[in-house]
Amino acid sequence: MLGKLTIDALPFYSDIALGGALIIVFGVLGVVALITWLGQWRYLWTEWLTSLDHKKIGIMYVTLALIMLVRGFIDAMMMRTQQAVALDSHGYLPPDHFDQIFTSHATIMVFFVAMPFLVGLFNVVVPQQIGARGVAFPFMNSVSLWLTASGAALVMISLVIGEFSTAGWSAYPPYSEAQFSPGVGVDYWIWAILVSGVGSMLTGINFLVTIVKRRAPGMRLMMMPLFTWSALCTSILIVFAFPALTVAAALLGLDRYLGMHFFTDGDGGNVKNYINLFWIWGHPAVYILLLPAFGVYSEVVATFSGRRLFGYESLVYATAVTAVLSLSVWLHHFFTMGASPDVNAFFGRVAPLIAVPAGVTIFDWLFTMYRGRVQFSVPMLFTLGFIVTFVIGGMTGVLLAVAPVNYLMQNTTFLVAHFHNMMIPGALFGYLAGYQYWFPKAFGFRLEEKWGRRAFWAWIVGFYLAFVPLYILGFMGMPQRLERYYVAGWQPYLIVAEFGALFILCGITFLAIQLAVSIRDRAALAVSTGEPWNGRTLEWATASPPAAYNFAVVPHVHGIDAWWAMKQAGTAGHRPARFHDIIMPDDSSAGVVLGAMSFVFAFAMVWQIWWLVAVGGLGMFAAVLSQTFRDHAEHRIPASEVEAIENRRTMAPALAPGAPT
């Protein structure tokens, strides 16, 4: 009846695991109780969960990312603490639990923090930057969100029922095969990746079509803001790269479920096929996460320097070249696998080239700031912190692209430090800068600056303390993922890394305090003009927050930095002679139901509860079918209502440009 699910699936194997499970359970029950007590279920369902408004979907994506950031950081904190105290001892974590933690930490941070965060920013900003009233496929957008949330829920429930994978976030065979990992941990990983991967794939298709087909009249490709360019290149990478990961996870699942031998060397398979498939996705994935952050930095640098971006065309080409090169250098992740000398030589020569467009990008930002009126706001602080810190990550990346050095550093903490050097300043700082920069666009009030500055300094100090010691330990030969060790010289560096994690904890706490203080003081922090930063791009041409339709009249674009040009010409904020009816998509519950049923289906597959598999499969089919046969999936907003909405906008006259372009 319940397949492999028994009472033994509860986390009684570790007091710490049991405590974490109880926190998850009581946390969910607490949220449910709070919403019930406030009587907000109907509001939540009608205004948010079933909404096809891309802005609300974006906010829900970012909310998911921040929640999972807390969970992922708890895992990181537990690992740092274990390694700080595990000299000549077992520490406080059982080995199997430690292995689950390093797998879940990486899986969460890549798939359920970084991906939702960047997609959330895309949803909030990109349609407005290109002068569109919405995305190309609104329902697909909702499905993408709820499939991603379903994948995140699978990771979270593994803490309560069963266990998560111990095979690492890359799930290399043979350890991830059923012979060596007979439990359900790898199955949780497979289904979380498959479900969320489909959601990411749909997102890539959606934004690729949106940017290509929905731009405002006159906006040629070489007039698009850099953030939109980064979204376009990222969407292309998603479309090309994610199928490889989906195939790799699906074939691994067939090995486990049906006894096939795609990746079992002794039975006709080849484990190298899995490694190649994984990194065909994995290397572009690094730039899927980095390029949107680079787009954020470009917008922030231009706005807070009061100047048009220096070398706009070179920035566009650098972004595109980075995307192309990211698809062609995956093998430098496994020079030690045993490929032929010619193959290693080719990838060894090509891999360092990807540093060139990154260097061009950083120099363009520096030249933009040169003689600009730089304002050291919180988004700008995160940008400057990135520029300084990313240089280290770039140098170590070029170092690792050299095959002999890669052989020396293989599987050491040097790799851990380098990867985090790319992901924290390179990606997460960018998302946090975008969160700070576009928060008033989404909610109509700014985030409080004092706590934002404190959060930045805690993050930057914490990063250096947490990961510079890991570079040193890598040179000293410390392998990654050690649950215990016997070299006394390593411990001082690991204790310093523990203090770095504590600083990052302060940074996360300060962000939470900043949000609470900003909500409390939202009247004082309100954005009455619609734009708090004297912005340059079209998203600031609308109210903050915008109406559901974004633009009452779709703007005509005549150059780069369209909103800045309108302000210079004195045409910003001009009302049209007359308004027209606007067609908008109806809300739909099918996306939520599809996400929920995909969770039921995947959970049932993990535990091989076949009747529940049927229920989940039929539920998914019914949800798609119900949406397919909706005859009236749109509604008309009359011109009179549009005019009334626009009359309620409190747009003050636009600020005059304060710096040369």
Side-chain angles (χ1 to χ4, degrees):
M1 183 68 177
L2 295 179
K4 295 163 59 177
L5 184 58
T6 67
I7 192 68
D8 294 332
L10 296 176
F12 294 128
Y13 59 88
S14 166
D15 291 339
I16 295 171
L18 180 60
L22 291 175
I23 290 173
I24 295 292
V25 171
F26 284 114
V28 171
L29 292 176
V31 171
V32 170
L34 179 62
I35 296 173
T36 303
W37 180 67
L38 294 174
Q40 294 297 310
W41 281 112
R42 178 178 293 276
Y43 168 79
L44 193 63
W45 179 260
T46 57
E47 295 296 325
W48 289 91
L49 302 184
T50 61
S51 176
L52 299 190
D53 186 337
H54 65 90
K55 300 177 290 296
K56 291 182 177 180
I57 288 174
I59 291 167
M60 288 188 282
Y61 262 119
V62 173
T63 302
L64 172 65
L66 293 175
I67 292 171
M68 297 304 289
L69 173 64
V70 174
R71 163 67 203 277
F73 176 77
I74 291 171
D75 287 344
M77 195 75 209
M78 293 174 70
M79 286 189 291
R80 293 273 68 85
T81 303
Q82 168 71 14
Q83 290 188 325
V85 302
L87 173 64
D88 297 324
S89 73
H90 294 285
Y92 74 100
L93 284 174
D96 187 69
H97 192 190
F98 181 81
D99 292 349
Q100 290 183 57
I101 286 172
F102 70 63
T103 303
S104 65
H105 166 73
T107 302
I108 287 169
M109 289 302 192
V110 172
F111 294 100
F112 303 113
V113 175
M115 284 300 298
F117 217 143
L118 72 90
V119 174
L121 293 177
F122 285 179
N123 269 283
V124 172
V125 179
V126 168
Q128 296 182 79
Q129 279 200 337
I130 63 175
R133 289 195 170 125
V135 294
F137 307 114
F139 175 68
M140 183 187 291
N141 204 23
S142 175
V143 171
S144 301
L145 167 66
W146 294 113
L147 288 178
T148 304
S150 176
L154 285 169
V155 178
M156 295 294 277
I157 202 171
S158 71
L159 187 64
V160 180
I161 302 175
E163 59 184 14
F164 199 62
S165 171
T166 59
W169 80 289
S170 53
Y172 278 5
Y175 190 68
S176 57
E177 296 280 359
Q179 179 183 356
F180 299 100
S181 294
V184 298
V186 175
D187 299 319
Y188 267 124
W189 182 88
I190 288 172
W191 285 104
I193 297 308
L194 287 175
V195 171
S196 64
V198 172
S200 298
M201 184 70 180
L202 295 178
T203 292
I205 295 170
N206 201 353
F207 278 92
L208 176 58
V209 176
T210 298
I211 295 169
V212 171
K213 302 295 291 183
R214 290 294 184 95
R215 298 192 308 277
M219 181 178 280
R220 301 194 305 273
L221 287 175
M222 293 305 290
M223 292 180 182
M224 295 193 310
L226 257 297
F227 184 70
T228 299
W229 262 110
S230 72
L232 176 62
C233 292
T234 299
S235 299
I236 293 171
L237 287 180
I238 289 173
V239 171
F240 275 95
F242 263 87
L245 178 65
T246 301
V247 169
L251 295 182
L252 180 61
L254 290 174
D255 276 8
R256 291 178 58 84
Y257 280 85
L258 299 180
M260 295 186 178
H261 301 289
F262 290 104
F263 307 126
T264 51
D265 282 331
D267 297 288
N270 191 339
V271 69
K272 292 181 183 180
N273 289 337
Y274 178 90
I275 297 172
N276 274 283
L277 283 170
F278 183 86
W279 287 109
I280 285 171
W281 164 83
H283 192 78
V286 173
Y287 292 91
I288 287 171
L289 305 183
L290 283 177
L291 289 180
F294 280 30
V296 173
Y297 296 136
S298 294
E299 303 298 337
V300 168
V301 166
T303 297
F304 293 106
S305 298
R307 303 186 67 203
R308 175 181 164 178
L309 278 168
F310 178 89
Y312 169 86
E313 291 83 2
S314 64
L315 281 167
V316 171
Y317 293 134
T319 302
V321 168
T322 299
V324 172
L325 287 176
S326 74
L327 289 166
S328 59
V329 295
W330 74 89
L331 193 126
H332 75 230
H333 286 272
F334 46 94
F335 276 134
T336 58
M337 185 180 74
S340 70
D342 289 339
V343 171
N344 279 350
F346 171 80
F347 283 93
R349 290 187 178 98
V350 173
L353 294 178
I354 205 164
V356 175
V360 170
T361 300
I362 289 176
F363 277 109
D364 280 343
W365 293 335
L366 294 176
F367 283 126
T368 302
M369 289 184 277
Y370 179 65
R371 291 186 177 177
R373 301 172 183 176
V374 180
Q375 304 172 50
F376 295 99
S377 62
V378 176
M380 194 65 174
L381 288 177
F382 276 107
T383 301
L384 294 173
F386 153 77
I387 291 174
V388 173
T389 308
F390 191 74
V391 172
I392 300 172
M395 290 189 299
T396 57
V398 172
L399 194 62
L400 287 172
V402 179
V405 177
N406 190 287
Y407 272 74
L408 181 65
M409 296 299 175
Q410 181 72 17
N411 202 38
T412 68
T413 58
F414 191 93
L415 298 179
V416 178
H418 166 69
F419 187 77
H420 285 81
N421 206 153
M422 301 294 285
M423 290 297 99
I424 295 180
L428 187 57
F429 278 17
Y431 306 154
L432 292 175
Y435 164 74
Q436 302 279 336
Y437 180 62
W438 283 305
F439 186 93
K441 168 52 53 182
F443 294 101
F445 61 93
R446 292 179 290 108
L447 287 168
E448 199 269 345
E449 285 271 320
K450 180 176 66 177
W451 283 105
R453 294 175 186 275
R454 290 172 178 172
F456 163 75
W457 287 111
W459 272 99
I460 194 78
V461 172
F463 169 80
Y464 278 106
L465 289 177
F467 295 105
V468 170
L470 299 189
Y471 278 123
I472 299 171
L473 287 167
F475 281 118
M476 296 171 69
M478 180 179 175
Q480 60 180 329
R481 300 172 178 169
L482 277 188
E483 175 262 332
R484 72 186 80 166
Y485 54 94
Y486 303 97
V487 181
W490 294 348
Q491 190 175 43
Y493 297 100
L494 292 169
I495 291 174
V496 173
E498 166 81 350
F499 277 106
L502 289 172
F503 268 92
I504 294 175
L505 174 62
C506 292
I508 294 173
T509 304
F510 293 162
L511 287 174
I513 295 173
Q514 180 196 35
L515 180 60
V517 170
S518 302
I519 293 172
R520 183 195 66 190
D521 299 337
R522 59 188 179 277
L525 296 169
V527 180
S528 59
T529 63
E531 55 159 343
W533 317 119
N534 197 16
R536 308 180 67 85
T537 46
L538 275 181
E539 74 269 26
W540 301 111
T542 61
S544 296
Y549 48 76
N550 293 340
F551 297 90
V553 177
V554 174
H556 285 255
V557 174
H558 303 288
I560 301 169
D561 292 346
W563 178 236
W564 186 266
M566 292 177 188
K567 290 189 288 187
Q568 284 187 312
T571 60
H574 283 190
R575 291 170 61 85
R578 58 176 297 187
F579 293 95
H580 300 278
D581 295 354
I582 296 175
I583 305 297
M584 295 298 293
D586 287 338
D587 293 343
S588 173
S589 61
V592 187
V593 174
L594 184 59
M597 289 297 103
S598 68
F599 171 81
V600 171
F601 178 85
F603 180 82
M605 286 295 296
V606 167
W607 291 101
Q608 298 179 19
I609 308 172
W610 303 121
W611 65 268
L612 192 57
V613 169
V615 170
L618 290 173
M620 289 190 291
F621 180 75
V624 173
L625 202 64
S626 69
Q627 182 68 21
T628 302
F629 285 97
R630 290 182 71 190
D631 293 329
H632 304 288
E634 296 175 328
H635 64 276
R636 181 183 300 272
I637 304 177
S640 58
E641 185 176 342
V642 174
E643 184 173 8
I645 293 171
E646 294 302 306
N647 286 338
R648 291 196 294 269
R649 292 174 56 178
T650 56
M651 286 283 286
L655 298 174
T661 59

